[in-house]
Amino acid sequence: MKVTALVNDTIGTLAGGRYDDNDVVAAVILGTGTNAAYVERANAIPKWHGLLPKSGDMVINMEWGNFRSSHLPLTEFDQALDAESLNPGEQIYEKLISGMYLGEIVRRVLLKMTEEASLFGDDIPPKLKIPFILRTPHMSMMHHDTSPDLRTVGAKLKDVLGIQGTSLKTRRLVVDVCDIVAKRGARLAAAGIHGVLKKLGRDIPGSDKHRTVIAMDGGLYEHYTIFSETLENTLREMLGEEVSSSVVIKLANDGSGIGAALLAAAHSQYLEAEV
């Protein structure tokens, strides 16, 4: 096998998205982990001291999952999760918004509510103490439960955490916790996208109505409907109606694989042209 291009999933999604739609300016991954990439004007990159590319543009792989700031709203649950993780102090933004961690944050909140307010009775369910036993797909299924008695919530609590005989009031509290954690993550993810658009000057109302497309990939965005809807609504809220009317988030299913193949093919052609 001959390797002609080595790209991560975010760059692949950006390449595939741009090939399909020339208005794509950024790519975001919201799945187990999270990252973003965008197309920047090369002369706006202070770190770059080499020759400028002929196009005048350069792709920036942000690795935004590692962003940390005093403005990020870290709770005691986030701080404990980070301290007990394999990479303490790193990937702070990712630990707030990605599919790897949302279910675990919910578990930690439910454990605290059980310890301090006997949410599931006097005894703490043993499985509730196991880190990462409650995964984000479980959380999503409970959050999307529309049945009158919240039977899916009851079933997941029983099957995943071994908690039986919960009341409707308790199940509603569980859904409320899922709602808070998911919507916080979605709103923070929207803030990240807004930051990219602001850097590109695509957040300003004006007569120049250029279309702005963000290629999105990842199971969290694709399958967690309340999360994706909250993200889109928050971005609209931050941009305002005039600007948001020209901003499109386009799901690029397996965009990373397609983009990587396109880059490999393009690089092969480039090498042939040089010979």
Side-chain angles (χ1 to χ4, degrees):
M1 181 175 68
K2 182 183 176 184
V3 177
T4 58
L6 185 64
V7 297
N8 67 18
D9 55 352
T10 321
I11 300 299
T13 300
L14 180 58
R18 186 72 166 232
Y19 180 82
D20 184 57
D21 186 336
N22 206 45
D23 289 330
V24 169
V25 298
V28 176
I29 305 292
L30 278 168
T32 305
T34 185
N35 192 14
Y38 72 101
V39 182
E40 179 63 279
R41 299 175 311 283
N43 58 15
I45 307 170
K47 290 181 179 179
W48 181 254
H49 301 296
L51 290 171
L52 293 178
K54 291 176 185 176
S55 67
D57 293 331
M58 191 173 290
V59 172
I60 302 293
N61 171 37
M62 295 179 68
E63 293 296 341
W64 79 359
N66 204 30
F67 174 68
R68 62 180 304 164
S69 164
S70 59
H71 297 291
L72 283 175
L74 295 180
T75 66
E76 62 180 278
F77 308 105
D78 304 309
Q79 290 166 343
L81 184 154
D82 176 50
E84 295 165 28
S85 69
L86 296 173
N87 54 346
E90 298 178 12
Q91 301 298 114
I92 300 298
Y93 189 46
E94 182 169 87
K95 287 169 182 171
L96 296 173
I97 70 174
S98 78
M100 177 79 181
Y101 301 101
L102 295 181
E104 172 63 5
I105 297 168
V106 169
R107 182 197 68 83
R108 288 172 179 270
V109 174
L110 294 178
L111 178 60
K112 176 97 171 184
M113 292 171 75
T114 304
E115 290 170 342
E116 297 196 352
S118 303
L119 178 65
F120 299 118
D122 295 333
D123 298 322
I124 299 171
K127 286 187 175 179
L128 190 57
K129 296 180 181 179
I130 302 173
F132 293 96
I133 191 171
L134 185 69
R135 295 169 53 242
T136 302
H138 302 141
M139 169 189 173
S140 175
M141 283 185 267
M142 292 192 294
H143 197 180
H144 289 110
D145 188 359
T146 56
S147 61
D149 58 350
L150 296 176
R151 68 185 65 157
T152 300
V153 177
K156 288 298 157 196
L157 290 173
K158 179 184 174 184
D159 297 343
V160 179
L161 299 172
I163 301 169
Q164 301 190 53
T166 51
S167 67
L168 182 57
K169 183 181 178 182
T170 299
R171 295 177 192 184
R172 282 176 178 154
L173 276 171
V174 171
V175 173
D176 286 343
V177 172
C178 293
D179 192 67
I180 291 166
V181 173
K183 287 182 177 176
R184 179 190 70 157
R187 289 178 70 81
L188 286 171
I193 294 170
H194 182 265
V196 174
L197 297 182
K198 185 167 182 155
K199 179 68 174 68
L200 292 170
R202 299 288 183 114
D203 65 323
I204 304 164
S207 55
D208 183 16
K209 298 293 284 184
H210 44 243
R211 188 164 162 268
T212 299
V213 181
I214 297 129
M216 181 77 72
D217 198 8
L220 178 63
Y221 180 85
E222 183 179 359
H223 301 299
Y224 201 147
T225 307
I226 294 172
F227 183 97
S228 54
E229 287 178 350
T230 302
L231 185 153
E232 289 165 15
N233 290 338
T234 303
L235 190 58
R236 196 176 300 117
E237 174 190 328
M238 296 180 81
L239 291 170
E241 285 302 322
E242 185 182 341
V243 176
S244 63
S245 64
S246 61
V247 174
V248 179
I249 297 179
K250 184 187 282 190
L251 183 64
N253 213 329
D254 193 31
S256 55
I258 295 166
L262 286 166
L263 287 171
H267 186 62
S268 298
Q269 284 187 327
Y270 172 74
L271 290 177
E272 287 172 13
E274 279 195 322
V275 176

